[in-house]
Amino acid sequence: MKKKTAGVSAAILLTLLLAACGAKENGAEGVKAASAGQETSAPVKKIIVGTGTQFPKVCFIDENGKLTGFDVELVREIDKRLPQYEFEFQTMEFKSILLSLDAKKIDFAAHEFEKNPEREEKYLFNKVPYAHWRNKIIVAKDNNDPIESLDDLKGKKFITGATSAEAQILLNYNKEHGDALKIVYSSGAANDTVSQITTGRVDAAVGADFSLSLIDPQRKLKTVGKPLSEADILFVFRKGEPESQKLSDDIDKALEEVKADGTLAKLSEQWLGGDFTEDSASK
């Protein structure tokens, strides 16, 4: 009897060891699947999300050293609603995000990317917008020149981020007007636009309607003229890949839920100071 009992105990011990090894290998995937009410054996695909750290209230490092902001917290909310995926952030300079997507170092990009014709030719965008931008001219608060459009600023210096949608607006204008605007590229620092304009090193910038209060809390700048463009804000994926299309479609389903239950509007109000999640014409 003792011999038989020892054999049973050994078998139980072996089963426990194998289970422990399996749990260790599954790691976070098993934890997430279990928390989602699924069996721990269900496959969970890790997704690398590219974002930045220099955009106040959108994607930045807070005083506790935590990556947070509107885009970051939205991605985390979407992750909760997609148990088949595990999202992991990878931070980098804004100009490197799409390059990293091209190089397959990340699976999608989250950094308030506008959908424009130039980007749409090369990249896949999801279908459900999570914000809507109206781009306007930004100048120093004490600039009282009559400015309605870019035509009023020919010969002036504009600061912008390399590879940004605002840079594309300026480049497109220059193509049609013989390089009438002088373009200076930002260092990427959070207050670079404010310091460059207020010190007179450049004359203006182009930015989204909601972003001015985020980059200029002391209100040293102002917007002028009519909107230069309007655009939906979406996530960016690699084009022509079935896996990317599937991921995009799944994120859209989660976004529809986040919109419908009011979470998206709450996140926008919390981080951006208002509901910038839809085109005003659709409200």
Side-chain angles (χ1 to χ4, degrees):
M1 287 293 292
K2 288 183 179 179
K3 191 172 184 181
K4 185 175 181 182
T5 302
V8 171
S9 298
I12 293 172
L13 179 61
L14 179 59
T15 301
L16 291 172
L17 286 171
L18 289 173
C21 290
K24 185 176 181 181
E25 289 174 3
N26 286 337
E29 295 183 359
V31 172
K32 183 172 181 181
S35 66
Q38 296 183 342
E39 296 181 5
T40 55
S41 59
V44 176
K45 184 175 178 59
K46 180 173 282 189
I47 299 298
I48 306 300
V49 186
T51 192
T53 61
Q54 299 291 323
F55 199 155
K57 301 296 184 179
V58 171
C59 45
F60 69 106
I61 305 296
D62 68 12
E63 63 274 11
N64 298 315
K66 178 187 175 183
L67 176 67
T68 190
F70 176 61
D71 281 40
V72 173
E73 298 307 327
L74 173 58
V75 169
R76 286 178 175 145
E77 181 64 32
I78 292 171
D79 189 21
K80 293 176 186 176
R81 301 179 188 229
L82 297 175
Q84 66 270 40
Y85 299 113
E86 179 190 355
F87 290 174
E88 179 180 300
F89 286 102
Q90 185 170 322
T91 60
M92 61 200 72
E93 291 184 21
F94 175 76
K95 64 183 179 182
S96 300
I97 296 177
L98 294 183
L99 294 175
S100 295
L101 186 64
D102 294 336
K104 299 188 176 183
K105 294 180 179 179
I106 62 174
D107 297 300
F108 76 93
H111 196 295
E112 291 289 307
F113 280 100
E114 293 184 34
K115 182 178 180 180
N116 59 34
E118 292 78 13
R119 285 176 176 163
E120 198 171 8
E121 283 183 10
K122 189 173 183 180
Y123 299 104
L124 169 70
F125 287 83
N126 66 299
K127 295 183 176 64
V128 180
Y130 64 91
H132 189 82
W133 276 17
R134 297 160 190 83
N135 286 304
K136 300 188 75 174
I137 298 168
I138 298 172
V139 297
K141 193 172 184 179
D142 60 0
N143 185 335
N144 296 314
D145 295 339
I147 301 170
E148 286 297 320
S149 69
L150 293 176
D151 292 337
D152 299 314
L153 290 166
K154 289 181 179 179
K156 302 296 185 180
K157 290 182 180 179
F158 277 78
I159 187 167
T160 189
T163 75
S164 69
E166 290 78 19
Q168 194 63 57
I169 291 172
L170 298 172
L171 290 169
N172 287 345
Y173 182 88
N174 272 351
K175 285 179 183 178
E176 298 176 2
H177 298 85
D179 293 328
L181 307 175
K182 298 176 182 178
I183 300 176
V184 177
Y185 290 103
S186 169
S187 67
N191 65 343
D192 195 31
T193 297
V194 179
S195 63
Q196 291 283 332
I197 293 177
T198 55
T199 58
R201 288 194 288 270
V202 301
D203 302 290
V206 173
D209 47 6
F210 74 83
S211 67
L212 188 57
S213 62
L214 307 183
I215 65 172
D216 178 34
Q218 296 181 336
R219 300 183 179 180
K220 296 180 180 180
L221 308 177
K222 64 181 179 181
T223 59
V224 293
K226 299 176 181 178
L228 302 175
S229 68
E230 295 192 29
D232 287 330
I233 305 302
L234 305 116
F235 299 119
V236 189
F237 306 78
R238 280 186 296 277
K239 205 169 188 177
E241 294 184 1
E243 286 189 356
S244 291
Q245 185 64 64
K246 176 69 165 58
L247 175 61
S248 173
D249 292 342
D250 289 340
I251 286 176
D252 274 335
K253 291 177 184 176
L255 269 173
E256 291 285 11
E257 294 178 6
V258 173
K259 274 191 168 186
D261 65 18
T263 302
L264 183 61
K266 288 179 182 178
L267 285 171
S268 179
E269 289 165 359
Q270 175 187 350
W271 291 105
L272 307 181
D275 186 357
F276 294 96
T277 62
E278 290 187 76
D279 179 356
S280 59
S282 66
K283 292 182 179 180

